[in-house]
Structure formats: structure tokens, C-alpha cells
Amino acid sequence: QVQLVESGGGLVQPGGSLRLSCAASGSIVRVGTMAWYRQTAGKQRELVARITDGGGTNYADSVKARLTISRDNAKNTVYLEMNDLKPEDTAVYYCNAAARTTATRVFYMYWGQGTQVTVSS
């Protein structure tokens, strides 16, 4: 099994910054693509940013130039640097990772428990 533990959420004023972290642990053989999603009440979970194990990235149009995803493969950790935050960025942010463990031959998708980000004055 793989556990994803997020940290770094909180309350920030419009225009402020936050950095989210998500560490994967367990009997991991390899971690593939990692991503951040977000969800607000009554809406579907949406992709914010994704990064492959080779470092390739893509972003939702609404966050380009303000949010940056990165990863530390040695630590199986993904980060989301969030700048110039807006009230519409308020959501629960979920970490997602594809991982292969000592018990599986294929990659499975795993989710973190979510961390709340609130942008408000």
C-alpha cells in the first residue's frame, strides 16, 4: 500500500502565497506521474497540475503562471508552489500519484486525504 500525506494548506489573503507538499510512503518500487487536484462543494474534482517522473508538467489554464508543480524523486514528494492566490483558488487540494509497490506489477492510483486552502481577506 501507498500513503500520501499532504501538508501546507491554510488561510491566506488574496495575492498571498502557499506551498503544498505531498509525501508518498509505503512499499514503493517506483512513483510515476504525480498531480494536484482541487475540489469545492458541489463541484467535480478538477486537475490543477501534473508532473511526470521525468519532470514534464502541464497545468490547468486557470492557474498557469501562478502555480508551479515540482517533485523530489529521491523523497517521493511533490510540491505545489502557489503565488498570487485568488478567492477562486479556495478549495480542498488533493495529492494524486501513480505508484508501483513490491506487491504489484502494475501502477495503481493513490489519493491523499486533502488539505484545505482558503483565500480570503
Side-chain angles (χ1 to χ4, degrees):
Q1 267 290 6
V2 174
Q3 295 79 42
L4 300 179
V5 178
E6 300 122 331
S7 60
L11 173 65
V12 63
Q13 292 187 342
S17 299
L18 282 175
R19 188 190 195 211
L20 306 183
S21 300
C22 172
S25 63
S27 304
I28 296 171
V29 172
R30 183 176 175 183
V31 179
T33 297
M34 303 183 82
W36 290 95
Y37 287 74
R38 66 186 181 188
Q39 188 172 25
T40 55
K43 293 189 176 181
Q44 285 191 332
R45 194 170 295 187
E46 64 173 1
L47 176 68
V48 176
R50 178 189 292 127
I51 184 167
T52 68
D53 53 355
T57 60
N58 64 286
Y59 297 88
D61 288 342
S62 60
V63 305
K64 281 181 180 176
R66 298 188 300 114
L67 275 59
T68 303
I69 190 170
S70 61
R71 65 189 288 169
D72 184 334
N73 289 334
K75 296 180 179 180
N76 290 330
T77 299
V78 63
Y79 306 96
L80 187 67
E81 190 76 35
M82 309 168 71
N83 298 309
D84 189 23
L85 283 162
K86 306 176 185 300
E88 51 264 40
D89 294 316
T90 296
V92 178
Y93 284 71
Y94 294 91
C95 175
N96 169 270
R100 186 162 65 89
T101 70
T102 55
T104 63
R105 294 184 179 181
V106 297
F107 285 82
Y108 285 91
M109 301 295 288
Y110 298 90
W111 291 92
Q113 80 285 356
T115 185
Q116 177 69 48
V117 171
T118 302
V119 184
S120 175
S121 56

